[in-house]
Amino acid sequence: ISQHNPTLTWTQYTKTLEQQTRRNVDITMKLRHAIAADQLALYYQPQVDLASGRIVSTEALLRWHHPQAGFIPPDQFIPLAEQSQLIGPIGDWVIRQACRDLRAWHDAGIPVTPVSINLSLIQFQLGSVPNSVHKALSDYDIAPELLTLEITESVFEQHCQALQHDLEALGTMGVRLSLDDFGTGYSSLGHLKDYFFDEIKIDKSFISQLDDNPYPQAIVKAVIVIAEAIGADVVAEGLELTSQIAIVRQLGCSKGQGYHYSRPIPEPRWRQLLMEQTSLG
Ligand code: C2E
Ligand code: MG
Ligand code: MG
Ligand code: MG
């Protein structure tokens, strides 16, 4: 389209856009049936104590498998779910499924660890979050401290009347609140002043640069110091290498998750890990 890419003509560019739009419309139509057709699943990624490798909690990550289109990653379908407001029912499904799984593990006599789920701003705009969480906890008889709600910093970029009130209500309910992808959003520090978070997750973009660059180390250190000062836990995301684990530990971070320990895995395999109380090295 520009002089930087003279090989792509305007016609080709428009065609690519058209194809993209058509694909998005198609995905959104398929997404409408995903819950009823039982195509959604939660995968679980362990969060470990970095000193011992012991599993201390887990993040539930949404997976969608369509029988024809195959596996569609959340980075593709979550934005479409948000645009179409399907994130309302899908988000409610995630909240309930996490609680259903917690109940099933507990009933199977498995020592349960807390579960983190991801929420989108649109869910708060739709006005359903505190009620949905309260109802799911009570329907499945789950202690609120077993549930952590992750919201990305980007939720603060748009004005949302309900957000402040909802986060306070959720805090009062006793669920834990976690600030996801910290450092990537706009005006990160301001949000820590206005809202209470039990946990801060350091974005994986900082972790992936730890090896070859002193600045990410300084930033990660600063985040850990701030978190300590406000009494929040810190979780390092995207730990892939032992060298990265050594650095974040040395900087004072005690908890993390990443491919080094495990990818997100289907519920039966996660249940197996929980049962075995596996230490991940
Ligand atoms: P997130 O909440 O920041 O989740 C972490 C993402 O990093 C996950 O991608 C996870 O699979 C991936 N990851 C974990 N360890 C590593 C690692 O060591 N290296 C690398 N490169 N990646 C790692 P995933 O599952 O594709 O999810 C992408 C994003 O989609 C999530 O980012 C979250 O923002 C969103 N998402 C996922 N599930 C849900 C959901 O149920 N509801 C909402 N609203 N958003 C969701
Ligand atoms: Mg997350
Ligand atoms: Mg994250
Ligand atoms: Mg993310």
Side-chain angles (χ1 to χ4, degrees):
I1 167 100
S2 70
Q3 66 248 67
H4 303 296
N5 190 352
T7 54
L8 195 61
T9 64
W10 175 256
T11 322
Q12 284 168 331
Y13 174 70
T14 322
K15 218 166 146 200
T16 313
L17 262 189
E18 265 172 32
Q19 280 167 356
Q20 193 56 54
T21 309
R22 219 173 305 127
R23 181 176 152 78
N24 286 349
V25 170
D26 180 55
I27 292 179
T28 307
M29 262 163 48
K30 289 186 165 73
L31 196 52
R32 262 175 226 292
H33 308 289
I35 296 178
D38 204 20
Q39 294 164 359
L40 298 181
L42 289 183
Y43 275 38
Y44 290 92
Q45 184 177 41
Q47 298 179 323
V48 305
D49 170 59
L50 298 178
S52 62
R54 210 166 45 86
I55 297 171
V56 287
S57 50
T58 184
E59 178 174 5
L61 292 152
L62 187 56
R63 294 291 178 262
W64 177 26
H65 188 268
H66 186 272
Q68 279 84 45
F71 169 77
I72 302 163
D75 284 336
Q76 269 182 42
F77 74 79
I78 295 284
L80 296 173
E82 290 176 341
Q83 282 163 35
S84 59
Q85 304 206 346
L86 285 170
I87 196 66
I90 289 172
D92 281 349
W93 183 89
V94 169
I95 294 166
R96 295 189 70 78
Q97 187 61 36
C99 291
R100 219 166 7 236
D101 284 345
L102 275 164
R103 169 54 38 198
W105 303 329
H106 183 83
D107 287 350
I110 300 166
V112 174
T113 62
V115 172
S116 296
I117 58 173
N118 294 280
L119 296 182
S120 124
L121 173 68
I122 312 294
Q123 289 173 263
F124 289 94
Q125 287 173 342
L126 293 172
S128 58
V129 177
N131 272 338
S132 298
V133 170
H134 179 79
K135 186 153 191 314
L137 290 173
S138 100
D139 285 354
Y140 295 103
D141 194 16
I142 303 296
E145 57 276 9
L146 282 176
L147 193 65
T148 299
L149 308 179
E150 294 189 7
I151 57 169
T152 61
E153 263 191 302
S154 58
V155 305
F156 300 105
E157 284 163 27
Q158 267 172 286
H159 179 73
C160 174
Q161 196 93 55
L163 192 60
Q164 175 101 40
H165 167 269
D166 282 3
L167 290 182
E168 274 169 28
L170 290 161
T172 307
M173 221 179 275
V175 296
R176 298 178 73 249
L177 300 177
S178 171
L179 189 53
D180 202 356
D181 301 346
F182 187 77
T184 58
Y186 169 72
S187 172
S188 315
L189 286 176
H191 313 134
L192 290 179
K193 163 175 75 56
D194 297 332
Y195 299 88
F196 179 80
F197 287 98
D198 301 274
E199 177 183 281
I200 293 175
K201 297 186 78 173
I202 302 175
D203 191 67
K204 53 181 179 288
S205 60
F206 295 107
I207 305 300
S208 64
Q209 294 173 56
L210 278 178
D211 280 327
D212 37 62
N213 198 328
Y215 293 119
Q217 285 202 26
I219 291 167
V220 168
K221 177 71 207 171
V223 173
I224 292 168
V225 170
I226 290 166
E228 241 162 40
I230 64 170
D233 297 334
V234 180
V235 178
E237 299 192 304
L239 294 171
E240 294 183 357
L241 308 171
T242 44
S243 54
Q244 293 164 346
I245 295 162
I247 295 170
V248 297
R249 281 190 65 193
Q250 195 233 320
L251 294 172
C253 180
S254 58
K255 189 174 164 182
Q257 63 186 97
Y259 294 168
H260 172 81
Y261 294 103
S262 168
R263 291 190 174 248
I265 50 178
E267 188 277 332
R269 276 179 59 200
W270 163 248
R271 186 189 280 239
Q272 195 65 35
L273 269 186
L274 264 184
M275 257 182 324
E276 292 161 0
Q277 285 294 298
T278 318
S279 248
L280 303 171

